[in-house]
Amino acid sequence: MSRRQYYSVRMRSAKSGVHISGAEGIYDKKNISTIVKEYTQRALIHDKGRADDILLTIEELKETPKKISSLPLYTLNTRNTEMAKKAVLKILTSVGITGRAIEEALNALDVGISMRGAMLMDIEGVRLEPDLLRGVRVTRMGITPKASADLSKKLGRLGLNNNTVKEALILASKVHKYNMVLGELCISDDPHYTTGYVATRAYGYIRLPRIKKRGVPFGGRAFFITGGEVKELIKYLQRTPALVHTVKPCTGRVTLKDILERKSRR
Ligand code: WAQ
Ligand code: MG
């Protein structure tokens, strides 16, 4: 029997030279034409306008994707930026990241420049990515059709079954599989999308409603990392294919206290 052949399919679109949308996944050969059609539609019908330049990449994977499970998902009851930032600080300091590093990341996400990729920060807040303007892009991740249906069902119960949540959860699930990564903070660069998240292996993927004020057209991502070879980490983030096979529970509103207690019970 021949080994199953997987493809990384990636889409990037722009309008008058400005980035509009992107999407990616890992697919079986037989599903490529369906997904190409879906991605093309997404680029042509977008809040930010209709793309005039759509780039599709279909790449046969030479490596069997690493099987991963999704991080468990929660939504915190944060009502404003202050409450959300306080939660970020509590959660990330409890896994060993310094307050200074977290402040540093929050400030960098607030200066109004959007990077294409993520910052890499050590626990003291020192930036470690080789290209400080671009950051590091995570690519070559996806979810199996079965797991995707399961995730849609779980998110659907919470009214969260959309591509933004699904894709962010898949990305974070790949990133946090790597032990050097202690935590992540993400704020969307979409001016209308005010929910961000913080993620760690022990706590999971924790959504933070209203971390951003409506209308702010920038955002960003930071990965907090510790002890190890940064080059190897970057290679993993950029190149190692990872495919979500199993979906962990997705939970509705919780308090910060719930989250912090849940971890200590592990
Ligand atoms: N790899 C690394 N960094 C990335 C990538 C990537 N593939 N894609 C985006 N970024 C960085 C980049 O700096 C963007 O400005 C920033 O992240 C935000 O990207 O549960 O939509 O695509 O409700 O705007 C999070 C909340 C939404 C989802 C995340 O991110 C939820 C989102 P965006
Ligand atoms: Mg965006």
Side-chain angles (χ1 to χ4, degrees), residues 48 188-190:
K48 293 190 210 163
S188 170
D189 53 31
D190 179 335

Side-chain angles (χ1 to χ4, degrees), residues 114-118 136-138 141 164-165 168 171 186-190 193 195-197 205 207 219-221 223:
S114 279
M115 294 161 61
R116 289 237 311 121
V136 176
R137 295 261 322 157
V138 186
M141 59 275 181
T164 307
V165 177
L171 185 150
C186 173
I187 298 176
S188 170
D189 53 31
D190 179 335
Y193 207 90
T195 302
Y197 72 85
Y205 176 101
R207 305 180 61 247
R221 261 194 176 85
F223 301 142

Side-chain angles (χ1 to χ4, degrees), residues 5 17 21 26 42 66 118 155 194 200 218 231 259:
Q5 192 53 64
S21 67
I26 293 174
R42 268 166 76 168
K66 198 179 173 69
L155 290 175
T194 58
T200 79
F218 48 82
K231 255 196 182 148
I259 290 286

Side-chain angles (χ1 to χ4, degrees), residues 67-75 91-92 142-143 147 150-151 154-155 158 160 165-179 181-186 197-207 221 223 236 243-251 259 262 266:
K67 280 191 188 180
I68 60 171
S69 54
S70 64
L71 292 169
L73 175 144
Y74 306 90
T75 299
I91 292 166
L92 292 180
I143 185 165
D150 186 18
L151 179 59
K154 285 174 171 147
L155 290 175
L158 307 173
L160 293 175
V165 177
K166 277 180 110 171
E167 284 165 9
L169 179 64
I170 294 165
L171 185 150
S173 300
K174 175 181 173 178
V175 171
H176 294 274
K177 186 75 192 166
Y178 205 87
N179 276 317
V181 181
L182 286 178
E184 174 185 5
L185 172 63
C186 173
Y197 72 85
V198 62
T200 79
R201 254 184 309 287
Y203 290 120
Y205 176 101
I206 301 164
R207 305 180 61 247
R221 261 194 176 85
F223 301 142
Y236 170 80
L243 192 55
V244 173
H245 279 249
T246 39
V247 176
K248 288 283 164 69
C250 300
T251 313
I259 290 286
R262 195 158 287 152
R266 276 162 188 262

Side-chain angles (χ1 to χ4, degrees), residues 99-113:
R100 198 172 67 193
I102 300 158
E103 286 296 327
E104 198 69 46
L106 284 168
N107 288 340
L109 299 187
D110 220 24
V111 292
I113 313 161

Side-chain angles (χ1 to χ4, degrees), residues 80-93 97-115 119-122 124-127 184-188 194 196-198 208 210-213 216 218-224:
N80 51 47
T81 307
E82 291 65 42
M83 216 176 147
K85 286 186 176 172
K86 193 183 143 212
V88 169
L89 201 67
K90 282 269 185 200
I91 292 166
L92 292 180
T93 51
I97 300 158
T98 65
R100 198 172 67 193
I102 300 158
E103 286 296 327
E104 198 69 46
L106 284 168
N107 288 340
L109 299 187
D110 220 24
V111 292
I113 313 161
S114 279
M115 294 161 61
M119 300 183 267
L120 298 183
M121 248 182 208
D122 73 8
E124 307 290 344
V126 177
R127 300 273 293 271
E184 174 185 5
L185 172 63
C186 173
I187 298 176
S188 170
T194 58
Y197 72 85
V198 62
L208 303 163
R210 304 209 179 99
I211 191 165
K212 189 167 101 166
K213 295 209 167 66
V216 176
F218 48 82
R221 261 194 176 85
F223 301 142
F224 298 94

